[in-house]
Short mmCIF file of all heavy atoms in Angstrom, two decimals:
data_model
loop_
_atom_site.label_atom_id
_atom_site.label_comp_id
_atom_site.label_asym_id
_atom_site.label_seq_id
_atom_site.Cartn_x
_atom_site.Cartn_y
_atom_site.Cartn_z
N LEU A 1 -32.51 13.39 2.16
CA LEU A 1 -31.45 14.33 1.76
C LEU A 1 -30.35 14.21 2.79
O LEU A 1 -30.54 14.43 3.97
CB LEU A 1 -31.99 15.75 1.74
CG LEU A 1 -30.99 16.88 1.46
CD1 LEU A 1 -30.36 16.70 0.06
CD2 LEU A 1 -31.65 18.25 1.57
N SER A 2 -29.16 13.83 2.32
CA SER A 2 -28.05 13.64 3.25
C SER A 2 -26.72 13.90 2.55
O SER A 2 -26.67 14.01 1.34
CB SER A 2 -28.04 12.20 3.83
OG SER A 2 -27.19 12.14 4.97
N TRP A 3 -25.67 14.01 3.35
CA TRP A 3 -24.32 14.21 2.77
C TRP A 3 -23.32 13.45 3.59
O TRP A 3 -23.57 13.02 4.70
CB TRP A 3 -23.98 15.71 2.77
CG TRP A 3 -23.75 16.32 4.13
CD1 TRP A 3 -24.70 16.71 5.02
CD2 TRP A 3 -22.48 16.58 4.73
NE1 TRP A 3 -24.11 17.22 6.16
CE2 TRP A 3 -22.75 17.17 5.99
CE3 TRP A 3 -21.16 16.41 4.30
CZ2 TRP A 3 -21.72 17.56 6.87
CZ3 TRP A 3 -20.15 16.81 5.17
CH2 TRP A 3 -20.44 17.37 6.42
N ASP A 4 -22.17 13.23 2.97
CA ASP A 4 -21.11 12.45 3.62
C ASP A 4 -19.75 13.03 3.21
O ASP A 4 -19.60 13.61 2.15
CB ASP A 4 -21.19 10.98 3.20
CG ASP A 4 -20.51 10.04 4.21
OD1 ASP A 4 -20.07 10.52 5.25
OD2 ASP A 4 -20.45 8.84 3.92
N TYR A 5 -18.82 12.86 4.13
CA TYR A 5 -17.40 13.21 3.90
C TYR A 5 -16.67 11.88 4.00
O TYR A 5 -16.65 11.27 5.09
CB TYR A 5 -16.96 14.18 4.98
CG TYR A 5 -15.48 14.45 5.04
CD1 TYR A 5 -14.91 15.52 4.38
CD2 TYR A 5 -14.62 13.64 5.80
CE1 TYR A 5 -13.56 15.78 4.44
CE2 TYR A 5 -13.27 13.88 5.86
CZ TYR A 5 -12.73 14.95 5.18
OH TYR A 5 -11.38 15.20 5.25
N ARG A 6 -16.10 11.41 2.88
CA ARG A 6 -15.49 10.06 2.87
C ARG A 6 -13.99 10.17 2.60
O ARG A 6 -13.56 10.40 1.47
CB ARG A 6 -16.14 9.22 1.80
CG ARG A 6 -17.62 8.94 2.07
CD ARG A 6 -18.27 8.14 0.96
NE ARG A 6 -19.67 7.88 1.24
CZ ARG A 6 -20.52 7.28 0.41
NH1 ARG A 6 -20.07 6.88 -0.78
NH2 ARG A 6 -21.79 7.11 0.73
N PRO A 7 -13.18 9.96 3.63
CA PRO A 7 -11.73 9.96 3.44
C PRO A 7 -11.24 8.54 3.10
O PRO A 7 -11.94 7.56 3.39
CB PRO A 7 -11.21 10.37 4.83
CG PRO A 7 -12.19 9.75 5.77
CD PRO A 7 -13.55 9.80 5.05
N MET A 8 -10.07 8.46 2.51
CA MET A 8 -9.41 7.18 2.29
C MET A 8 -7.92 7.40 2.21
O MET A 8 -7.45 8.40 1.63
CB MET A 8 -9.91 6.54 1.01
CG MET A 8 -9.37 5.13 0.75
SD MET A 8 -9.92 3.94 1.99
CE MET A 8 -11.64 3.81 1.55
N CYS A 9 -7.16 6.45 2.78
CA CYS A 9 -5.69 6.57 2.66
C CYS A 9 -5.12 5.17 2.58
O CYS A 9 -5.61 4.21 3.18
CB CYS A 9 -5.10 7.31 3.84
SG CYS A 9 -5.68 6.70 5.45
N VAL A 10 -4.04 5.02 1.80
CA VAL A 10 -3.33 3.78 1.60
C VAL A 10 -1.86 4.04 1.64
O VAL A 10 -1.36 4.90 0.91
CB VAL A 10 -3.69 3.11 0.26
CG1 VAL A 10 -2.96 1.78 0.10
CG2 VAL A 10 -5.19 2.92 0.12
N MET A 11 -1.12 3.25 2.47
CA MET A 11 0.34 3.31 2.40
C MET A 11 0.85 1.92 2.09
O MET A 11 0.40 0.91 2.65
CB MET A 11 0.94 3.79 3.71
CG MET A 11 2.41 4.17 3.56
SD MET A 11 3.03 5.20 4.90
CE MET A 11 4.54 5.85 4.10
N TYR A 12 1.81 1.89 1.16
CA TYR A 12 2.31 0.62 0.62
C TYR A 12 3.81 0.66 0.59
O TYR A 12 4.44 1.66 0.27
CB TYR A 12 1.76 0.45 -0.81
CG TYR A 12 2.38 -0.67 -1.62
CD1 TYR A 12 1.82 -1.93 -1.64
CD2 TYR A 12 3.51 -0.41 -2.40
CE1 TYR A 12 2.39 -2.94 -2.41
CE2 TYR A 12 4.10 -1.44 -3.16
CZ TYR A 12 3.52 -2.70 -3.16
OH TYR A 12 4.08 -3.69 -3.90
N GLY A 13 4.42 -0.47 0.94
CA GLY A 13 5.87 -0.59 0.86
C GLY A 13 6.28 -1.95 0.38
O GLY A 13 5.77 -2.96 0.87
N SER A 14 7.14 -2.03 -0.64
CA SER A 14 7.63 -3.32 -1.11
C SER A 14 9.14 -3.39 -0.97
O SER A 14 9.83 -2.35 -0.93
CB SER A 14 7.24 -3.53 -2.59
OG SER A 14 7.99 -2.71 -3.42
N CYS A 15 9.64 -4.60 -0.89
CA CYS A 15 11.06 -4.83 -0.63
C CYS A 15 11.56 -5.87 -1.61
O CYS A 15 10.90 -6.88 -1.83
CB CYS A 15 11.20 -5.31 0.82
SG CYS A 15 12.85 -5.90 1.27
N THR A 16 12.72 -5.64 -2.19
CA THR A 16 13.36 -6.61 -3.06
C THR A 16 14.75 -6.93 -2.49
O THR A 16 15.51 -6.01 -2.17
CB THR A 16 13.54 -6.11 -4.50
OG1 THR A 16 12.24 -5.76 -5.00
CG2 THR A 16 14.16 -7.15 -5.39
N MET A 17 15.01 -8.22 -2.31
CA MET A 17 16.32 -8.67 -1.73
C MET A 17 17.04 -9.60 -2.69
O MET A 17 16.41 -10.30 -3.51
CB MET A 17 16.08 -9.43 -0.43
CG MET A 17 15.54 -8.61 0.72
SD MET A 17 15.43 -9.63 2.20
CE MET A 17 14.58 -8.52 3.30
N GLU A 18 18.35 -9.63 -2.53
CA GLU A 18 19.17 -10.56 -3.30
C GLU A 18 20.09 -11.34 -2.37
O GLU A 18 20.72 -10.79 -1.46
CB GLU A 18 20.01 -9.81 -4.34
CG GLU A 18 20.84 -10.74 -5.21
CD GLU A 18 21.61 -10.00 -6.31
OE1 GLU A 18 21.59 -8.75 -6.30
OE2 GLU A 18 22.20 -10.69 -7.17
N GLU A 19 20.10 -12.65 -2.57
CA GLU A 19 20.98 -13.53 -1.79
C GLU A 19 21.49 -14.66 -2.68
O GLU A 19 20.68 -15.43 -3.24
CB GLU A 19 20.22 -14.12 -0.59
CG GLU A 19 21.08 -15.01 0.30
CD GLU A 19 20.27 -15.57 1.47
OE1 GLU A 19 19.38 -16.41 1.23
OE2 GLU A 19 20.53 -15.14 2.58
N ASN A 20 22.79 -14.75 -2.81
CA ASN A 20 23.40 -15.79 -3.65
C ASN A 20 22.78 -15.81 -5.06
O ASN A 20 22.41 -16.87 -5.57
CB ASN A 20 23.25 -17.15 -2.99
CG ASN A 20 23.99 -17.22 -1.66
OD1 ASN A 20 25.03 -16.61 -1.48
ND2 ASN A 20 23.39 -17.96 -0.71
N SER A 21 22.68 -14.62 -5.64
CA SER A 21 22.14 -14.43 -7.01
C SER A 21 20.67 -14.75 -7.15
O SER A 21 20.14 -14.75 -8.25
CB SER A 21 22.94 -15.28 -8.02
OG SER A 21 24.31 -14.89 -8.01
N LYS A 22 20.01 -15.00 -6.04
CA LYS A 22 18.57 -15.25 -6.05
C LYS A 22 17.85 -14.00 -5.55
O LYS A 22 18.25 -13.38 -4.59
CB LYS A 22 18.25 -16.43 -5.14
CG LYS A 22 16.79 -16.85 -5.18
CD LYS A 22 16.56 -18.06 -4.24
CE LYS A 22 15.12 -18.51 -4.27
NZ LYS A 22 14.88 -19.65 -3.34
N ILE A 23 16.79 -13.61 -6.27
CA ILE A 23 16.05 -12.37 -5.93
C ILE A 23 14.62 -12.72 -5.52
O ILE A 23 13.94 -13.53 -6.17
CB ILE A 23 16.02 -11.41 -7.14
CG1 ILE A 23 17.45 -10.92 -7.42
CG2 ILE A 23 15.09 -10.23 -6.87
CD1 ILE A 23 17.55 -10.03 -8.65
N GLU A 24 14.19 -12.13 -4.43
CA GLU A 24 12.83 -12.32 -3.93
C GLU A 24 12.23 -10.94 -3.54
O GLU A 24 12.96 -9.99 -3.32
CB GLU A 24 12.80 -13.22 -2.68
CG GLU A 24 13.27 -14.64 -2.95
CD GLU A 24 12.26 -15.49 -3.72
OE1 GLU A 24 11.17 -14.94 -4.07
OE2 GLU A 24 12.55 -16.65 -4.00
#
């Protein structure tokens, strides 16, 4: 007989750039 406290966290960041009409 047991118990648990399970936390979880995620942080995410994305970036979109444009240079000379090209996008990445």
